[in-house]
Amino acid sequence: MTSSQVVALVISPFVGVFGVFFITSRHHISRVARQLRREQEQYVGPYTQSPTLMLVVGIVFVIAAALIAVGALTGVID
């Protein structure tokens, strides 16, 4: 196993956990981000940091973690 494969296998669980965190905490993240933008007097529209955006980002991170792990185990990542 090469060093890049080891790094990929070490990083992939962290990416997956980060994605699951985005999925499970999407409403809280969205609410806090909107509140901070209001406090900084920035524009807050209906699509600003929406929970759906956080869900999509979380899913992308989970898929990326799976692809990184599979790529490291199958030898695609050298």
Side-chain angles (χ1 to χ4, degrees):
M1 195 171 255
T2 65
S3 59
S4 59
Q5 288 172 321
V6 172
V7 170
L9 286 176
V10 169
I11 289 176
S12 66
F14 291 108
V15 174
V17 168
F18 197 64
V20 170
F21 171 75
F22 266 116
I23 293 169
T24 59
S25 302
R26 65 184 181 269
H27 294 289
H28 177 69
I29 294 170
S30 177
R31 199 169 36 250
V32 170
R34 286 169 169 263
Q35 180 182 356
L36 287 174
R37 287 181 69 102
R38 280 190 195 102
E39 289 173 1
Q40 295 172 355
E41 297 178 359
Q42 295 177 354
Y43 174 75
V44 178
Y47 301 111
T48 302
Q49 203 77 23
S50 69
T52 306
L53 174 65
M54 294 295 100
L55 177 66
V56 169
V57 170
I59 291 170
V60 167
F61 272 97
V62 170
I63 291 171
L67 291 176
I68 290 170
V70 168
L73 292 174
T74 59
V76 173
I77 297 175
D78 274 336

